[in-house]
Amino acid sequence: MGMNKNTVLAWATFIMVIVGLSLIALGAFRYNDTAGWGFAAVGIGFFAIAWVFNALKGRV
């Protein structure tokens, strides 16, 4: 069972969404000071990169 490029991009998108959600959750619930804003910003960045990976499916 081989994985083609679209399957790899789909898995990368899924993993990055999970990591982004966990970073936003850490920023919201674990760290209530300035570090929480940083965790949330990095989580939103992971969402942006996952969006690009999702848009690349079928084009690469």
Side-chain angles (χ1 to χ4, degrees):
M1 182 177 117
M3 290 177 52
N4 59 8
K5 291 179 275 188
N6 288 333
T7 307
V8 170
L9 284 172
W11 276 106
T13 301
F14 177 71
I15 291 169
M16 292 193 78
V17 165
I18 296 299
V19 171
L21 283 173
S22 64
L23 284 171
I24 290 173
L26 273 175
F29 300 118
R30 175 72 171 104
Y31 298 105
N32 292 327
D33 53 350
T34 308
W37 290 99
F39 274 99
V42 171
I44 292 171
F46 267 83
F47 277 151
I49 296 170
W51 180 39
V52 170
F53 280 172
N54 192 26
L56 285 175
K57 282 193 307 189
R59 289 181 168 76
V60 176

